[in-house]
């Protein structure tokens, strides 16, 4: 319902990024293993290990996704992007065996987001990666949904800890629905309440006073 | 690496998931703008060098810096735009007068945006017909009854209801009041809706 | 709700029913509720309903005036008061949904309005159009003043059309069919599916991609629920 007035720009769907989405800005800060296919004069200071003035061709370095996307060109060789290990065949087999066992927060926390983004870079394994991400999601979705719909007032932190960002958002929206339903069942849906913004500001003021 | 300051701005805002408005990080913005200035100047001089001396090997470096410039621009735009969305929410949750503590978290331009937004919204609501228009920031939940039981959470002073009666809203006092007169005070945490 | 409303029309003295082609109050409110649910559940901004809004506002004013004449403490009075509150809630919620979407998609909403052919109905009411224009200008001025004007010359503007996301027409919506439809083309969900056609029976309910049935929402053949 229209009770929460702050509605942030949502992250993009699939391979899209939303320019103004804070989630997407943070996702694109995730690092990818890259290799330079040309030299970058005068930028040697960015590589802590090297003493040279330039970043020479064939240097292996980690780059944030935004930088890799900006420099990468299909036709010209500027950089090449390697797969992070969670998307490589070894890990894909693990995910395929039982996706529920994996701690996607530790592996991610943007496992699905970053996985969709690396499809922008040409790689022979892209179809398998796309398939693996989708299957992993499907394999885990039931459990995420079940627990978000049935755990009322329970401590779910153990499960929540192992969820990817996307799954956490889904879990939260399920919980919001459940809570709203419970309120309605107890005849409290129409109760007027203080704005959560207001109460949270007040809480913060109190903690500031005490600290 | 470049753009670390810019992403720090975004992180700082992103951490407050419930829509609260942290203090405007003027210093952070200034540092990003300085980094942008430096990147731009280096690029300008390398572009000249590439042109006059035919040094095409500088192109990847120029492109690298340009990516960083775009990234900084995106982070700042994202930071500022998200703050506007939070400021907008304040108008709907608090009403048109903001508590001083929150105003302190806003920069001059944000206050200006808020005032403009307030004005646009008021003009729109007045245009909806009737004598005074329609205040669509009220009636957030479907009404169940005309009167509701409320408890006063803090001293608020005198309060006039429809028929001209004036009551005193004193901390811990309980009243039976017309629902639509109370909605805003409940949202602001002055009154609490009591359901038996 | 309908009962109290027909009473409300008794109270109003029935002047309105003399105009031709004018809805009875219960019909008017039914229209409002349809428009409200459609607007609430559709991902994009729908056509404006200025006339409907105006009629409902008039109806509310009317009911308020009549209420002044009823004796205090009359049970009828509180029923009518309640009815007024409920209509006002639906109307406010409807207008709120619209304004929220205008704010969320303002560059796209304005672009659509700009490219609208003469004679096509406008999606925005004149007041909403004014609001959207002010919102855009206000936001652009703000971004410029705080940061963009301090940036290098080639980075001093942000294309709001590209920066602000468009409504996601691929989201799924629940709907009820009001007029039977034949041969609705449904696009495949995955690569190994093919598209297919369905018939939508009157009164049946479905969960479908908004894009597929968007024209049926605007024609009134289906109702979002």
């Amino acid at each position: 319902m229209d009770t929460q007035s702050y509605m942030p720009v949502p992250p993009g769907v699939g391979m899209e990024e939303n320019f103004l989405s804070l989630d997407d800005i943070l996702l694109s800060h995730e690092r990818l293993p890259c290799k330079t296919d040309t030299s970058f004069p005068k930028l040697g200071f960015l590589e802590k290990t090297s003493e040279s003035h330039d970043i020479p061709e064939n240097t292996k370095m980690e780059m944030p996704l935004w930088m890799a996307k900006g420099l990468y060109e299909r036709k010209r060789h500027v950089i090449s992007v390697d797969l992070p290990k969670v998307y490589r065949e070894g890990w894909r087999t693990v995910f395929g065996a039982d996706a529920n066992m994996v701690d996607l927060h530790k592996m991610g926390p943007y496992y699905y987001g970053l996985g969709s983004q690396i499809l922008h870079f040409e790689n022979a394994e892209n179809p398998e990666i796309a398939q693996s991400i989708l299957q992993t999601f499907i394999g885990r979705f039931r459990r995420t949904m079940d627990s978000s719909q049935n755990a009322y007032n329970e401590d779910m932190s153990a499960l929540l800890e192992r969820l990817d960002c996307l799954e956490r958002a889904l879990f939260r929206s399920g919980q919001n629905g459940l809570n709203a339903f419970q309120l309605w069942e107890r005849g409290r849906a129409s109760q007027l309440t203080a704005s959560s913004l207001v109460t949270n500001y007040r809480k913060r003021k109190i903690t500031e006073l005490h600290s | 690496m470049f753009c670390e300051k810019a992403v720090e701005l975004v992180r700082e805002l992103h951490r407050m998931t419930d829509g609260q408005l942290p203090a405007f990080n003027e210093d952070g913005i200034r540092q990003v703008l300085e980094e942008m200035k430096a990147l731009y100047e280096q690029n300008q001089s390398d572009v000249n060098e590439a042109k006059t001396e035919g040094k095409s090997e500088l192109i990847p470096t120029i492109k690298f810096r340009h990516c960083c410039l775009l990234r900084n621009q995106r982070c700042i735009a994202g930071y500022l735009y998200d703050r506007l969305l939070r400021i907008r929410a304040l108008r709907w949750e608090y009403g048109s007068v903001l508590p001083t503590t929150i105003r302190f978290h806003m920069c001059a331009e944000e206050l200006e945006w808020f005032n403009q937004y307030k004005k646009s919204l008021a003009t729109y609501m007045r245009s909806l017909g009737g004598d005074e228009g329609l205040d669509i920031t009220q009636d957030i939940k479907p009404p169940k009854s005309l009167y509701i039981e409320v408890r006063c959470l803090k001293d608020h002073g005198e309060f006039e209801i429809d028929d001209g009666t004036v009551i005193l809203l004193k901390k811990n006092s309980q009243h039976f009041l017309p629902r639509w007169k109370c909605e805003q005070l409940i949202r602001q945490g002055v009154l609490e809706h009591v359901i038996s | 709700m309908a009962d109290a409303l027909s009473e409300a029309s008794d109270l109003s003295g029935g002047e309105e029913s003399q105009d031709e082609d004018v809805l009875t109050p219960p019909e008017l409110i039914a229209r409002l509720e349809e428009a409200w649910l459609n607007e609430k559940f559709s991902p994009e901004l729908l056509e404006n309903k200025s006339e409907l809004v105006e009629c409902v506002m008039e109806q509310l004013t009317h009911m308020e005036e009549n209420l002044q004449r009823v004796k205090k403490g009359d049970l009828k009075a509180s029923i009518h008061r309640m009815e007024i509150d409920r209509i006002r809630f639906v109307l406010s919620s409807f207008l709120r949904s619209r304004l929220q979407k205008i704010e969320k998609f303002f560059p796209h909403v304005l672009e659509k309005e700009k490219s609208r052919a003469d004679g096509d109905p406008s999606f925005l009411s004149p007041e909403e159009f004014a609001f959207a224009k002010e919102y855009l200008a206000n936001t652009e001025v703000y971004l410029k003043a705080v940061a963009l004007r301090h940036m290098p010359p080639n980075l001093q503007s942000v294309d709001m059309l590209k920066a602000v996301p468009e409504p996601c027409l691929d989201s799924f919506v629940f709907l009820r069919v009001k007029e039977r439809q034949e041969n609705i083309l449904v696009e495949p969900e995955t690569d190994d599916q093919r598209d297919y056609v369905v018939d939508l029976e009157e009164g049946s309910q479905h969960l479908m991609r908004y894009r597929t049935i968007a024209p049926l929402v605007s024609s009134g053949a289906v109702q979002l629920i």
Side-chain angles (χ1 to χ4, degrees):
Chain A
M1 288 275 297
D2 34 14
T3 41
Q4 168 67 283
S5 309
Y6 166 60
M7 290 162 288
V9 177
V13 178
M15 284 171 70
E16 302 283 317
E17 268 190 66
N18 280 343
F19 183 81
L20 294 171
S21 152
L22 300 189
D23 285 306
D24 277 350
I25 293 179
L26 293 179
L27 157 67
S28 55
H29 202 64
E30 291 286 299
R31 289 171 174 268
L32 296 172
C34 297
K35 180 174 71 65
T36 57
D37 293 333
T38 178
S39 104
F40 291 84
K42 306 185 187 184
L43 295 177
F45 67 96
L46 290 172
E47 272 288 274
K48 290 201 181 81
T49 47
S50 88
E51 306 270 287
S52 91
H53 185 62
D54 307 338
I55 303 177
E57 192 180 325
N58 261 324
T59 309
K60 287 198 166 172
M61 58 191 290
E62 289 212 314
M63 274 186 196
L65 171 68
W66 59 266
M67 162 91 55
K69 270 174 100 173
L71 292 177
Y72 181 81
E73 284 178 55
R74 271 167 200 251
K75 287 182 209 111
R76 250 183 298 163
H77 294 287
V78 185
I79 56 159
S80 39
V81 181
D82 203 4
L83 293 177
K85 62 176 187 303
V86 286
Y87 304 103
R88 288 191 205 151
E89 202 185 348
W91 273 101
R92 291 207 302 267
T93 319
V94 175
F95 282 94
D98 187 357
N100 279 305
M101 294 304 292
V102 191
D103 183 343
L104 267 197
H105 192 74
K106 219 153 123 202
M107 313 251 80
Y110 296 100
Y111 168 78
Y112 300 112
L114 190 62
S116 312
Q117 287 296 320
I118 56 174
L119 301 176
H120 282 289
F121 311 109
E122 223 158 69
N123 190 311
E125 293 173 44
N126 276 356
E128 287 82 25
I129 296 171
Q131 196 56 30
S132 161
I133 299 172
L134 182 63
Q135 290 307 324
T136 305
F137 181 78
I138 295 172
R140 293 165 61 95
F141 178 66
R142 172 169 277 281
R143 207 166 76 157
T144 313
M145 187 179 76
D146 276 354
S147 46
S148 84
Q149 289 296 284
N150 293 308
Y152 185 62
N153 277 338
E154 280 174 53
D155 179 20
M156 295 306 293
S157 49
L159 175 95
L160 217 53
E161 244 167 37
R162 297 161 62 86
L163 296 184
D164 162 277
C165 287
L166 173 67
E167 293 171 337
R168 277 192 194 181
L170 288 172
F171 180 88
R172 246 178 274 125
S173 80
Q175 286 266 287
N176 288 342
L178 177 65
N179 289 340
F181 179 72
Q182 294 290 342
L183 277 180
W184 177 79
E185 249 190 353
R186 286 185 285 132
R188 289 190 166 240
S190 61
Q191 182 175 26
L192 301 174
T193 49
S195 139
S196 63
L197 266 179
V198 176
T199 36
N200 287 337
Y201 271 114
R202 192 160 298 145
K203 269 187 223 149
R204 205 170 64 177
K205 241 165 81 186
I206 290 167
T207 44
E208 273 165 15
L209 277 177
H210 287 272
S211 59
Chain B
M1 192 50 102
F2 298 115
C3 308
E4 290 295 336
K5 286 272 177 261
V7 87
E8 200 37 59
L9 283 175
V10 171
R11 254 193 222 116
E12 172 189 306
L13 205 51
H14 190 256
R15 266 196 293 272
M16 298 200 149
T17 46
D18 57 357
Q20 287 189 61
L21 187 73
F24 183 74
N25 193 338
E26 200 181 334
D27 193 51
I29 298 271
R30 194 183 40 80
Q31 289 184 42
V32 178
L33 290 172
E34 273 167 20
E35 185 184 289
M36 289 179 81
K37 189 164 177 271
L39 282 163
Y40 182 71
E41 280 166 4
Q42 286 159 359
N43 257 4
Q44 285 293 91
S45 96
D46 280 356
V47 165
N48 281 335
E49 207 178 317
K51 266 191 205 150
T52 52
E53 296 169 40
K55 282 194 176 174
S56 63
E57 68 269 25
L58 284 174
I59 292 174
T61 297
I62 294 169
K63 201 172 163 190
F64 185 102
R65 292 200 198 99
H66 188 65
C67 284
C68 298
L69 281 164
L70 288 173
R71 173 68 175 180
N72 276 330
Q73 189 210 36
R74 180 183 178 192
C75 290
I76 288 197
Y79 175 80
L80 296 176
Y81 190 74
D82 190 72
R83 287 183 60 89
L84 289 190
L85 298 180
R86 289 165 195 253
I87 293 169
R88 170 213 177 263
L90 293 170
R91 167 63 189 87
W92 290 78
E93 311 255 326
Y94 275 90
S96 50
V97 182
L98 297 182
T100 347
T101 38
I102 295 178
R103 293 173 63 93
F104 277 149
H105 284 178
M106 292 158 70
C107 69
E109 291 83 359
E110 286 175 332
L111 282 170
E112 182 54 31
W113 187 89
F114 179 76
N115 285 333
Q116 285 297 334
Y117 179 70
K118 218 163 72 176
K119 243 190 254 166
S120 300
L121 187 62
T123 310
Y124 170 74
M125 297 197 297
R126 250 196 325 272
S127 77
L128 289 169
D131 293 337
E132 297 148 36
L134 178 67
D135 183 355
I136 62 169
T137 67
Q138 300 291 316
D139 295 301
I140 297 287
K141 285 184 181 177
K144 275 271 150 59
S145 55
L146 283 177
Y147 284 80
I148 55 173
E149 186 81 37
V150 291
R151 184 185 302 121
C152 206
L153 298 176
K154 50 173 138 178
D155 288 327
H156 186 72
E158 291 188 342
F159 185 65
E160 191 184 329
I161 41 176
D162 272 357
D163 54 2
T165 339
V166 175
I167 53 161
L168 185 64
L169 294 180
K170 216 169 161 284
K171 191 171 176 176
N172 289 328
S173 60
Q174 209 145 319
H175 309 270
F176 195 58
L177 298 175
R179 176 195 145 101
W180 69 276
K181 282 293 261 187
C182 310
E183 206 177 310
Q184 182 127 18
L185 287 176
I186 293 173
R187 234 179 302 147
Q188 292 171 347
V190 176
L191 298 177
E192 179 187 33
H193 182 185
V194 186
I195 289 189
S196 44
Chain C
M1 195 161 184
D3 282 353
L5 265 165
S6 40
E7 274 216 44
S9 71
D10 294 347
L11 270 179
S12 73
E15 310 141 57
E16 264 138 320
S17 52
Q18 276 161 31
D19 290 69
E20 76 278 279
D21 206 36
V22 159
L23 301 168
T24 65
E27 281 168 350
L28 181 67
I29 300 311
R31 289 267 179 101
L32 173 66
E33 286 186 350
E34 284 169 16
W36 172 50
L37 293 175
N38 279 342
E39 195 67 69
K40 229 171 148 44
F41 297 124
S42 100
E44 65 173 344
L45 186 73
L46 301 175
E47 226 170 87
N48 84 77
K49 295 270 188 289
S50 300
E51 266 174 53
L52 179 66
V53 171
E54 215 173 289
C55 289
V56 175
M57 280 302 284
E58 270 169 28
Q59 181 67 26
L60 281 173
T61 318
H62 222 83
M63 290 169 79
E64 291 270 8
E65 282 166 12
N66 288 322
L67 210 52
Q68 303 296 321
R69 293 204 295 267
V70 178
K71 256 187 280 153
K72 233 185 151 187
D74 190 340
L75 183 62
K76 245 184 175 176
S78 45
I79 294 173
H80 287 301
R81 177 87 254 164
M82 193 64 209
E83 204 48 45
I84 290 177
D85 278 10
R86 290 164 70 171
I87 298 171
R88 210 183 47 225
F89 162 74
V90 175
L91 183 63
S92 298
S93 176
F94 169 68
L95 295 169
R96 235 179 349 249
S97 304
R98 292 187 57 82
L99 211 61
Q100 252 170 34
K101 287 191 224 176
I102 292 170
E103 290 179 357
K104 200 167 165 194
F105 307 123
F106 62 98
H108 307 282
V109 168
L110 286 167
E111 190 62 18
K112 200 165 172 182
E113 180 66 24
K114 227 195 309 180
S115 58
R116 175 171 64 94
D118 279 344
D120 278 1
S122 169
F123 279 76
L124 297 167
S125 73
E127 295 77 22
E128 288 168 341
F129 182 51
F131 179 86
K133 273 195 302 191
E134 281 170 29
Y135 195 83
L136 172 69
N138 190 18
T139 304
E140 281 183 335
V141 164
Y142 162 77
L143 291 176
K144 186 118 212 156
V146 186
L148 291 178
R149 71 191 171 97
H150 302 295
M151 288 186 187
N154 54 344
L155 293 166
Q156 291 192 351
S157 71
V158 169
D159 182 353
M160 293 310 254
L161 261 179
K162 286 197 187 122
V164 175
E166 282 182 83
C168 177
L169 303 185
D170 286 319
S171 35
F172 281 74
V173 290
F174 287 97
L175 58 107
R176 181 168 48 238
V177 182
K178 285 164 71 187
E179 296 158 22
R180 186 186 140 83
Q181 299 294 316
E182 284 175 1
N183 294 327
I184 299 296
L185 185 73
V186 180
E187 283 172 22
E189 291 305 323
T190 55
D191 293 341
D192 39 304
Q193 277 178 9
R194 308 236 324 253
D195 50 7
Y196 59 98
V197 292
V198 289
D199 293 342
L200 304 178
E201 299 299 331
E202 191 183 322
S204 61
Q205 300 187 4
H206 307 266
L207 173 62
M208 292 174 86
R209 214 185 266 276
Y210 175 75
R211 195 189 291 279
T212 314
I213 48 92
L216 302 178
V217 175
S218 50
S219 76
V222 304
Q223 167 75 52
L224 300 186
I225 49 177

